[in-house]
Amino acid sequence: MRKPLVTRGERFDLSTVNPQMEAVIDAFDRYLEASPYRLGRTKHAVMGPVAKILERAGAGHWSAEALAGYALRVHEMNPKARGFVPAEARAAMESGVQELIRLTHIVPVTALAKVLERLEYALYYRRRKRASEWMESIRKEFEKFLRSRYESVEALREAWKDKNATFEVYPSRKNEAYRKGKGKRKEDIDAFYASLELEEDIEEEEE
């Protein structure tokens, strides 16, 4: 299918493809939510193979099937995926690729880079926001957990051997406070992790 031509001096109105862009973002968001890329501090950690999918879509000459196959392979190579792609994640990823290919067919070549850039950053923002909200919910759960164990912040500080300890703390197991913590800090955090019975790590990826 030929892309619509835009004459010199005429600008392509990106708002005309907002519905198609939202369809791409929604599909890839569902894919990432059902994949090992739930948390992350870097764009690569948050976006997983989606950033590379967008890059290759911009280069052209990719069919939906080939692009989906490429994304599937990148996913399988993630150590946390253990070579497995859940059916829900695969279906969402395939839908995202199909919507993306359709979008590239209706956007002029001169506007494609801008469209792909907007897709990338809109999805990145959505993923970071979702991760932040989820981690805040974990922090609140840990606060409830600590308050069920200690009647006051003074009791918490005595148990943790830390005069600055508070109930409003994130249960990180990667920072120095945990590794070198005295008292019951490590014991409480480990007990909280065990109580969640989650297979995934609730820490952000550091890359």
Side-chain angles (χ1 to χ4, degrees):
M1 180 183 298
R2 294 185 62 185
K3 296 181 180 179
L5 297 177
V6 178
T7 60
R8 181 174 297 180
E10 180 184 352
R11 288 189 175 184
F12 178 72
D13 184 359
L14 297 182
S15 67
T16 61
V17 292
N18 277 343
Q20 291 87 345
M21 291 174 66
E22 280 299 316
V24 174
I25 293 169
D26 287 343
F28 283 140
D29 183 44
R30 294 196 308 273
Y31 157 66
L32 292 169
E33 186 66 12
S35 75
Y37 304 97
R38 187 170 188 174
L39 302 176
R41 292 177 181 169
T42 66
K43 189 166 72 170
H44 171 72
V46 170
M47 300 284 285
V50 176
K52 294 183 178 180
I53 292 173
L54 295 175
E55 179 182 335
R56 278 155 179 74
H61 310 299
W62 283 81
S63 67
E65 186 175 48
L67 202 52
Y70 168 79
L72 186 65
R73 182 55 183 153
V74 173
H75 180 112
E76 291 172 339
M77 292 175 67
N78 185 306
K80 286 190 174 183
R82 301 173 184 175
F84 174 72
V85 183
E88 179 184 0
R90 184 177 64 252
M93 181 266 289
E94 291 173 350
S95 175
V97 168
Q98 291 168 0
E99 293 292 345
L100 177 61
I101 294 298
R102 293 192 189 100
L103 179 61
T104 63
H105 286 166
I106 63 175
V107 173
V109 174
T110 53
L112 185 56
K114 180 62 68 175
V115 168
L116 294 175
E117 181 182 47
R118 292 196 177 189
L119 283 173
E120 183 174 10
Y121 281 100
L123 181 59
Y124 173 74
Y125 172 76
R126 184 180 296 189
R127 296 307 307 168
R128 283 296 293 155
K129 180 181 178 182
R130 191 187 297 274
S132 296
E133 291 171 347
W134 190 73
M135 293 186 74
E136 176 60 14
S137 72
I138 293 296
R139 188 203 65 76
K140 290 180 178 179
E141 285 298 317
F142 187 53
E143 180 179 349
K144 289 168 57 178
F145 178 85
L146 291 178
R147 290 185 183 278
S148 71
R149 291 193 162 201
Y150 303 103
E151 295 182 354
S152 65
V153 68
E154 289 77 20
L156 173 66
R157 290 171 177 173
E158 174 62 26
W160 281 21
K161 307 302 180 186
D162 182 355
K163 64 180 181 180
N164 296 316
T166 70
F167 288 117
E168 297 81 20
V169 61
Y170 188 80
S172 175
R173 296 196 292 188
K174 292 184 177 179
N175 59 27
E176 187 174 352
Y178 172 82
R179 292 191 294 268
K180 297 183 178 180
K182 300 178 181 179
K184 293 188 175 182
R185 178 193 292 267
K186 292 180 65 175
E187 178 183 325
D188 287 339
I189 293 177
D190 289 343
F192 175 71
Y193 269 73
S195 71
L196 294 179
E197 297 182 349
L198 291 177
E199 293 185 3
E200 66 180 306
D201 193 349
I202 65 173
E203 301 278 358
E204 286 189 310
E205 293 287 343
E206 295 189 52
E207 298 195 5

